[in-house]
Amino acid sequence: MSRRVCPPRGRPPRRLESPYRRLGQRMQDVTGDGGVLKEVIRAGAGEVVPQDASVLVKYSGYLEYMDKPFDTNWYRRNLRLMKLGEEITLQGMEVGLLTMKKGELARFLFIPSYAYGALGCPPLIPPNATVLFEMELLDFLDSAECDKFFDLTPEQQDTFPLQKVLKVASTEREFGNYLFRQKRFMDARERYKRASLILCRRPSSGDEQCQIDAAKLLVFLNLSFTYLKLERPVRALTYGEKALEIDERNAKALFRCGQVSKSRFFCWVKKNK
């Protein structure tokens, strides 16, 4: 008959720690209450994501003891910008993103109150589930300042310091560039036009005018190319010529005008066949 082995007196039986508990012991407590734990896999650079920014992020969410993610966008070809506080609804994910820098890859653990709560999200997420998220921050745009700026009247906008106006115009242009890469040319045009509007309305002289002209040149080139994509060569030529008024030797502006002429020629040939 086999003998039962009992643990020594005074020493409780050892409990095996779960993988997430072991992982959490080496992670940074972001929130101070153990609700969001973080481990940096690859450091990023630059500034930390600001409140109300729009982020371009890859992510995968995992349940404990499961190898496949329950949610991921990692392999999507065209990722979209998501605005914090509006389009990202998981509290832990938003808290985590606000600690990240561009290019950073990090792993997070979210306890239920920062994830899917006591009820979970049937059938994928059980009640009171701690979840692991891996996130890579590809880029972000500080859209909060733009939102505030465009909520003001034109008169109030004119009182903004030049550097803030240039920053708003630059952010609008970056939004346009993102939309252009997604082939959403109409939406990109609207962003570029907003940037153009505030730059063209800004009264200035001397050094300020040089800074404004440099910003306008980039926006006019973007608008010229966008109108080419929209097959509106006359508008494309208008903005190409506006760019040349600022810099008559600008290679991109000359090239855009050349593209317009070529486009108009082929349109004429098509109509007269």
Side-chain angles (χ1 to χ4, degrees):
M1 184 175 174
S2 61
R3 234 173 112 192
R4 186 178 171 194
V5 179
C6 297
R9 287 185 182 180
R11 186 182 297 173
R14 188 177 176 185
R15 291 177 61 190
L16 291 174
E17 287 186 316
S18 73
Y20 279 6
R21 186 177 290 273
R22 287 199 304 274
L23 176 63
Q25 289 172 358
R26 68 170 191 257
M27 299 175 86
Q28 175 193 356
D29 185 353
V30 171
T31 51
D33 61 359
V36 178
L37 304 177
K38 176 181 181 180
E39 179 182 35
V40 176
I41 301 170
R42 184 186 67 232
E47 298 177 358
V48 172
V49 174
Q51 291 279 354
D52 300 320
S54 295
V55 297
L56 196 64
V57 59
K58 287 183 178 180
Y59 64 85
S60 292
Y62 298 87
L63 292 168
E64 197 166 22
Y65 303 110
M66 293 188 70
D67 293 329
K68 290 185 178 179
F70 62 81
D71 186 20
T72 184
N73 72 349
W74 212 275
Y75 303 106
R76 287 183 196 164
R77 289 184 63 186
N78 292 317
L79 299 176
R80 64 185 184 87
L81 283 166
M82 296 184 288
K83 190 168 177 61
L84 297 179
E86 293 180 12
E87 295 171 285
I88 294 178
T89 54
L90 203 65
Q91 186 183 1
M93 194 172 177
E94 181 155 346
V95 169
L97 283 164
L98 288 169
T99 70
M100 297 182 74
K101 298 178 179 180
K102 185 177 176 180
E104 183 177 328
L105 175 64
R107 183 179 292 130
F108 296 88
L109 282 176
F110 308 146
I111 66 171
S113 58
Y114 284 86
Y116 298 95
L119 298 177
C121 188
L124 289 175
I125 314 296
N128 291 309
T130 294
V131 296
L132 181 146
F133 267 74
E134 287 188 353
M135 298 194 291
E136 181 180 7
L137 182 65
L138 302 176
D139 203 356
F140 68 87
L141 294 173
D142 186 0
S143 52
E145 198 157 23
C146 289
D147 296 338
K148 289 176 188 173
F149 183 85
F150 286 107
D151 282 341
L152 301 174
T153 65
E155 293 74 21
Q156 290 171 320
Q157 290 175 6
D158 289 341
T159 65
F160 261 54
L162 175 63
Q163 293 310 313
K164 283 200 173 184
V165 172
L166 291 173
K167 185 179 178 186
V168 169
S170 175
T171 302
E172 286 296 310
R173 180 174 169 267
E174 286 175 26
F175 265 114
N177 290 346
Y178 165 75
L179 293 165
F180 188 96
R181 289 193 294 271
Q182 299 282 315
K183 301 187 186 303
R184 293 165 56 185
F185 301 123
M186 292 288 284
D187 293 331
R189 181 194 66 176
E190 292 311 306
R191 289 289 186 172
Y192 293 141
K193 285 181 77 173
R194 290 214 313 178
S196 171
L197 178 66
I198 60 174
L199 290 169
C200 291
R201 203 183 62 235
R202 177 78 182 191
S204 59
S205 59
D207 291 340
E208 282 196 353
Q209 189 60 50
C210 290
Q211 294 180 65
I212 290 173
D213 283 347
K216 282 163 63 175
L217 177 63
L218 296 173
V219 174
F220 291 158
L221 290 171
N222 288 139
L223 277 165
S224 181
F225 196 21
T226 303
Y227 276 115
L228 268 174
K229 291 292 185 182
L230 292 170
E231 297 182 353
R232 294 181 61 184
V234 175
R235 297 297 291 163
L237 182 60
T238 298
Y239 282 102
E241 289 173 342
K242 281 178 180 283
L244 288 172
E245 286 173 13
I246 296 170
D247 180 2
E248 63 182 16
R249 295 184 179 181
N250 185 275
K252 281 190 177 180
L254 291 166
F255 181 65
R256 292 282 175 268
C257 292
Q259 283 181 302
V260 171
S261 299
K262 188 176 178 182
S263 172
R264 293 176 79 178
F265 172 74
F266 282 119
C267 285
W268 181 85
V269 169
K270 257 178 151 181
K271 283 179 183 177
N272 291 276
K273 266 188 176 181

